[in-house]
Amino acid sequence: SSICRYIPLIFVSIGIFLFVCILSTSFALVNINNEKIITGVSVNGISLAGLTVDEATQKLSDEFSKKLDTSLTLVCGDYKSELIPSRDIDATYNISAATQAAYSIGRSGNLIQNNYEILISLLATKKVNVNLQYDSQKLNNYIDTISVELPGLVEHPSYYVENKNLIIVKGHSGVELLQDTTKNLILSNIDSRSSNAEINIPTKNVEPNEINISQIHEEIYSEPENAYLIKEPFELNVGSTGTDFEITVDEAQNLLQEEKDEYIIPLKIIEPEIGVEDLGNDVFIHNLGTFSSTYKESNVNRSINVKLASNKINNVILLPGEEFSYNKIVGERTYANGFREASVYTSSGVVDGLGGGICQVSSTLYNSVLLANLEIVERRNHRYAVSYVPLGTDATVAYGSIDFRFKNNRKYPIKIVASSQNGICTVSIMGIKEDVEYEVEITTKRLQTIAFQTKYIEDGSMAAGTQK
């Protein structure tokens, strides 16, 4: 009798089992040849039900493009900055991985597992999430740019050196960008939106840092370093000057007690005991470029100017990276500086002027600099052709307006050796040859000759029948 009591339960269990089998078989028969994503599957909230892999790929591409190609505007008061994710941070989604993950639902397990997934997707949406991918360095750079463009930024103390003085600039309170919060807001808005959106840039009010005079002194202070030369194996150290406060740190700290926007601390430059110029000609053993031009010694004033300018630039040493300024080295052309009046070119023609002839020295130097393959920073030709250098290879100068400048872009120091005597002006660039050197050849090509024009001027003071 007890067995009879369990017979209905056994039949019910058998019935449920048969129902499940029939249902699973039905699912299997329905989906065995189905090439479409099953019902209820979505990627990042985008439904892909009933779509093939290609159709799903196209739909995701269209939807994600709306997110990635549409601008996101960051706002702080009147300040606005536009971010287009696909352009500015290389933002993408792995669409292929997303569609494959969606398509595999109901297909990746055994018959029972697949049918279970299909049944669950019918009752509740099966969600696939694909993460936003982006160039983190570009995003950080974008945020860094915003952080220095915001209006009303906090200004922390800063300093700079000018004319042997340390200038310390006091800071001012202001706002500061919350970078991590801004980054998270950008990423979350890209993921959640499908149209233009604005983000209020998160900031906080910040007081400037205190001026730390001891730290500034540590950063400014440096010991002088002597230059030295080792021949085998070859090594040249050009040395360096040292820098220190002209006053004590305590005295500098006392200067800060006064309420000012800027504080000036005098500096002293400490020269090394041995400089490059003390190492002798072993540092300047190779002739890197030489050029000569001729002048008439019978033109006394012009000769004086040529010789004076040559002496000014002679033995000038340029360390690697240093720049030469002809006007700075030669100085203002005045009687007090020894210059004489001689012929110079002006816009109205040839006239007498102080320093006439020094352009021959700058032009001779220019040619030697070209032959040494140094970097030209500033150079301008004369208004008219000159006779002392080939066409197109002159360098005019005018104090206060036109300069000739070049830079020592070589690995080692260079020295200018200049002389003007017996009607010959010669300038050489001396230094040390590098592993790779170039032979420079200067050629000139005449492109066009423009005929001169004659203009006749009527002048009431002239005798009748004459012309000017």
Side-chain angles (χ1 to χ4, degrees):
S1 60
S2 59
I3 295 175
C4 292
R5 191 167 56 245
Y6 290 106
I7 290 175
L9 183 59
I10 293 171
F11 277 110
V12 170
S13 299
I14 294 172
I16 292 174
F17 175 75
L18 292 174
F19 174 76
V20 171
C21 290
I22 292 170
L23 185 63
S24 296
T25 303
S26 299
F27 274 130
L29 291 173
V30 169
N31 290 288
I32 193 169
N33 293 318
N34 183 17
E35 294 298 322
K36 297 183 178 181
I37 297 170
I38 63 175
T39 301
V41 176
S42 67
V43 172
N44 286 26
I46 303 169
S47 175
L48 301 182
L51 301 179
T52 64
V53 170
D54 289 342
E55 292 170 340
T57 299
Q58 185 61 50
K59 184 173 182 179
L60 289 181
S61 179
D62 293 341
E63 291 295 329
F64 287 151
S65 291
K66 294 178 184 178
K67 298 176 183 289
L68 303 179
D69 296 336
T70 304
S71 64
L72 183 67
T73 305
L74 283 78
V75 180
C76 182
D78 294 332
Y79 174 82
K80 290 187 177 182
S81 178
E82 182 184 74
L83 169 72
I84 297 179
S86 61
R87 179 194 68 188
D88 298 323
I89 61 172
D90 296 340
T92 59
Y93 288 96
N94 193 335
I95 295 175
S96 176
T99 53
Q100 288 301 323
Y103 181 76
S104 67
I105 295 175
R107 294 180 171 87
S108 58
N110 57 41
L111 182 65
I112 295 176
Q113 290 172 330
N114 289 344
N115 288 334
Y116 173 77
E117 281 198 323
I118 294 171
L119 181 61
I120 292 299
S121 69
L122 291 173
L123 300 176
T125 302
K126 191 73 173 180
K127 297 179 181 179
V128 175
N129 291 318
V130 55
N131 293 328
L132 175 69
Q133 298 172 330
Y134 59 93
D135 188 321
S136 59
Q137 185 59 54
K138 286 189 175 182
L139 178 57
N140 290 337
N141 291 342
Y142 176 79
I143 293 174
D144 286 342
T145 300
I146 294 175
S147 69
V148 297
E149 290 181 347
L150 289 179
L153 283 173
V154 61
E155 295 179 20
H156 293 294
S158 60
Y159 64 85
Y160 61 94
V161 175
E162 183 179 85
N163 297 328
K164 293 186 179 182
N165 285 318
L166 173 69
I167 316 295
I168 301 177
V169 182
K170 183 181 178 181
H172 297 283
S173 60
V175 299
E176 186 175 84
L177 178 72
L178 297 174
Q179 296 204 4
D180 289 340
T181 305
T182 302
K183 180 177 181 179
N184 293 332
L185 281 172
I186 289 174
L187 295 176
S188 61
N189 271 270
I190 293 174
D191 245 345
S192 62
R193 75 198 173 92
S194 59
S195 59
N196 289 3
E198 283 193 355
I199 296 177
N200 289 320
I201 299 174
T203 60
K204 64 177 180 180
N205 294 322
V206 178
E207 292 297 321
N209 298 331
E210 294 290 331
I211 297 175
N212 189 332
I213 198 69
S214 296
Q215 180 181 343
I216 293 175
H217 178 259
E218 289 180 7
E219 294 172 357
I220 286 293
Y221 180 80
S222 64
E223 292 278 357
E225 183 180 0
N226 287 333
Y228 64 83
L229 174 66
I230 300 175
K231 295 185 178 180
E232 293 293 339
F234 184 85
E235 181 183 354
L236 172 64
N237 187 314
V238 299
S240 62
T241 57
T243 306
D244 197 1
F245 286 3
E246 189 71 58
I247 58 178
T248 66
V249 174
D250 289 338
E251 289 172 330
Q253 184 67 52
N254 291 333
L255 291 177
L256 304 182
Q257 303 307 313
E258 186 179 353
E259 194 65 28
K260 298 171 65 176
D261 288 334
E262 288 187 352
Y263 304 94
I264 300 176
I265 298 176
L267 298 176
K268 59 180 176 182
I269 306 301
I270 309 168
E271 296 292 336
E273 294 180 1
I274 302 174
V276 172
E277 63 278 3
D278 300 317
L279 299 180
N281 289 328
D282 286 340
V283 182
F284 310 104
I285 56 178
H286 298 130
N287 191 325
L288 306 176
T290 297
F291 191 84
S292 297
S293 62
T294 60
Y295 61 94
K296 293 181 179 180
E297 284 202 308
S298 57
N299 189 334
V300 178
N301 283 358
R302 192 176 188 281
S303 295
I304 290 174
N305 293 336
V306 170
K307 292 177 180 179
L308 181 57
S310 295
N311 291 335
K312 293 277 189 179
I313 68 172
N314 185 42
N315 289 327
V316 170
I317 294 174
L318 293 180
L319 299 180
E322 283 190 333
E323 185 177 290
F324 174 92
S325 165
Y326 189 83
N327 282 339
K328 182 177 180 181
I329 297 298
V330 175
E332 188 173 1
R333 276 64 100 179
T334 63
Y335 290 112
N337 288 336
F339 290 100
R340 303 287 184 88
E341 285 201 2
S343 298
V344 295
Y345 281 154
T346 68
S347 59
S348 57
V350 180
V351 298
D352 284 341
L354 272 175
I358 66 167
C359 287
Q360 178 164 351
V361 180
S362 60
S363 297
T364 306
L365 172 63
Y366 171 56
N367 279 268
S368 65
V369 166
L370 288 178
L371 293 171
N373 199 28
L374 297 173
E375 179 183 343
I376 306 300
V377 178
E378 178 184 352
R379 172 260 172 183
R380 192 183 303 179
N381 61 287
H382 287 80
R383 184 179 180 89
Y384 307 105
V386 298
S387 59
Y388 42 78
V389 293
L391 287 172
T393 64
D394 56 313
T396 186
V397 289
Y399 191 82
S401 58
I402 304 173
D403 201 0
F404 169 53
R405 296 182 295 133
F406 67 91
K407 181 185 291 186
N408 178 12
N409 56 338
R410 300 178 64 85
K411 183 179 178 180
Y412 301 111
I414 59 171
K415 180 166 75 171
I416 300 171
V417 178
S419 66
S420 292
Q421 55 186 355
N422 301 322
I424 300 175
C425 174
T426 300
V427 179
S428 300
I429 306 296
M430 307 300 295
I432 297 173
K433 287 186 177 180
E434 300 177 8
D435 294 336
V436 178
E437 290 288 347
Y438 297 91
E439 182 179 345
V440 178
E441 180 182 351
I442 304 173
T443 60
T444 299
K445 181 179 180 180
R446 187 188 296 269
L447 300 178
Q448 183 181 7
T449 299
I450 302 174
F452 66 85
Q453 294 180 339
T454 301
K455 182 184 292 185
Y456 293 97
I457 302 173
E458 297 293 335
D459 190 334
S461 63
M462 297 173 65
T466 59
Q467 291 179 319
K468 183 178 181 181

